[in-house]
Amino acid sequence: MADRSILITGCSSGIGYCAAVGMRARGWRVFAACRKPDDCARLKAEGFESPLIDYTDEATINAGLAEVLEATGGTLDALFNNGAHGTPGAVEDLPTDALRAIFEANFFGWHHLTRAAIPVMRQQGHGRIIQCSSVLGFITLPWRGAYNATKYALEGLTDTLRLEMRDTPIHVSLIEPGPVTSKIRQNSIPHFERWVDWRGSARRAEYESGLNTRLYEDRGPDRFELPATAVLEKLIHACEAPRPQPRYYVTTPTHIMGALRRVLPTRALDWVLSRG
């Protein structure tokens, strides 16, 4: 794998950082992108090549990919789109600009980078595009409407891309984790505080007794939570297997919800999901 390169986004912590460390250990040349200069500097100190890529800033996407291609002589074997955040809150309390902002970070930026990588992979005659989606890309949970929406959109676009790439040597896969150890909850707090007026909401009591407690109190790991290495295992297969899978479920809840979605009528599934 020494001559193979992978660009991984969102590497400051969690899934992205674990993926960068794990893929480097397997001999891949890892470009561990972050959206903050300080995080890039920290990873460079650890020996990584770490381009600055902020999904909300197309200039950094273009410059970051150009940096990778200059370093590799114009090739890129795999792209792992990973960086994302949540904007918790009831759908009725989400300003439209909040949705625009999260789609920039969780969807439009991913699309821009993916489109830029495809011509490179076409020219070299192979490539892997792996998207880190979520169990919330095919089922929904209350209070996560903005995040649900970006992951549903990602799944639809990625499924379409996979169909369109069937006549090319470019493989496209989705990884769909359930609860995995990361900082997504903590990283969601600034977006919640920026956009959601929960004190003025008709659901204020529900925020106080539910969502706010989950966001601000450290209650330890979620039930069935797995370490980020569980995602790394799927990423390795998606990058190295001769026939990568179109979808990779990660964690017990993802498998359970995938099965329930297939067998339960909508109202019954709604009842299950409404219980959190």
Side-chain angles (χ1 to χ4, degrees), residues 47-160:
F48 286 103
E49 296 169 275
S50 184
L52 178 71
I53 294 181
D54 179 346
Y55 279 133
T56 67
D57 184 347
E58 288 189 359
T60 69
I61 297 172
N62 295 335
L65 181 59
E67 181 180 328
V68 171
L69 298 178
E70 182 178 0
T72 63
T75 65
L76 179 64
D77 297 286
L79 168 64
F80 182 35
N81 279 310
N82 164 69
H85 69 78
T87 302
V91 170
E92 64 187 291
D93 296 328
L94 292 172
T96 304
D97 281 346
L99 292 181
R100 290 191 179 100
I102 195 172
F103 265 86
E104 286 290 346
N106 291 12
F107 183 72
F108 296 131
W110 294 40
H111 179 58
H112 186 87
L113 179 55
T114 299
R115 286 192 64 232
I118 287 174
V120 176
M121 295 178 177
R122 280 186 179 276
Q123 183 173 359
Q124 69 194 14
H126 66 274
R128 305 288 171 99
I129 297 170
I130 303 99
Q131 312 273 55
C132 193
S133 182
S134 170
V135 62
L136 298 180
F138 60 85
I139 60 98
T140 62
L141 287 177
W143 308 97
R144 298 164 177 84
Y147 187 81
N148 291 341
T150 63
K151 292 304 184 182
Y152 263 68
L154 177 68
E155 297 249 340
L157 196 70
T158 303
D159 283 343
T160 307

Side-chain angles (χ1 to χ4, degrees), residues 63-268:
L65 181 59
E67 181 180 328
V68 171
L69 298 178
E70 182 178 0
T72 63
T75 65
L76 179 64
D77 297 286
L79 168 64
F80 182 35
N81 279 310
N82 164 69
H85 69 78
T87 302
V91 170
E92 64 187 291
D93 296 328
L94 292 172
T96 304
D97 281 346
L99 292 181
R100 290 191 179 100
I102 195 172
F103 265 86
E104 286 290 346
N106 291 12
F107 183 72
F108 296 131
W110 294 40
H111 179 58
H112 186 87
L113 179 55
T114 299
R115 286 192 64 232
I118 287 174
V120 176
M121 295 178 177
R122 280 186 179 276
Q123 183 173 359
Q124 69 194 14
H126 66 274
R128 305 288 171 99
I129 297 170
I130 303 99
Q131 312 273 55
C132 193
S133 182
S134 170
V135 62
L136 298 180
F138 60 85
I139 60 98
T140 62
L141 287 177
W143 308 97
R144 298 164 177 84
Y147 187 81
N148 291 341
T150 63
K151 292 304 184 182
Y152 263 68
L154 177 68
E155 297 249 340
L157 196 70
T158 303
D159 283 343
T160 307
L161 179 63
R162 187 182 64 254
L163 291 174
E164 294 170 350
M165 291 290 111
R166 283 174 59 86
D167 63 346
T168 77
I170 301 172
H171 297 279
V172 181
S173 299
L174 284 157
I175 298 180
E176 298 164 321
V180 167
T181 304
S182 73
K183 293 184 177 179
I184 190 168
R185 189 180 306 163
Q186 301 96 306
N187 292 341
S188 296
I189 291 174
H191 304 283
F192 173 68
E193 293 178 345
R194 176 185 180 188
W195 294 112
V196 178
D197 177 19
W198 64 269
R199 292 179 180 84
S201 171
R203 297 184 179 275
R204 175 170 178 164
E206 294 172 75
Y207 280 101
E208 292 175 331
S209 64
L211 179 62
N212 291 12
T213 300
R214 179 174 175 81
L215 277 179
Y216 292 102
E217 293 185 9
D218 183 5
R219 302 184 303 167
D222 286 333
R223 189 180 182 189
F224 300 115
E225 182 173 306
L226 293 179
T229 50
V231 177
L232 171 62
E233 292 174 7
K234 306 302 183 181
L235 176 63
I236 291 169
H237 191 277
C239 288
E240 298 181 4
R243 288 175 56 84
Q245 298 175 19
R247 305 186 119 71
Y248 293 90
Y249 282 7
V250 186
T251 75
T252 297
T254 308
H255 287 277
I256 292 173
M257 290 303 170
L260 292 180
R261 186 172 181 269
R262 290 192 295 271
V263 301
L264 290 183
T266 298
R267 290 188 184 278

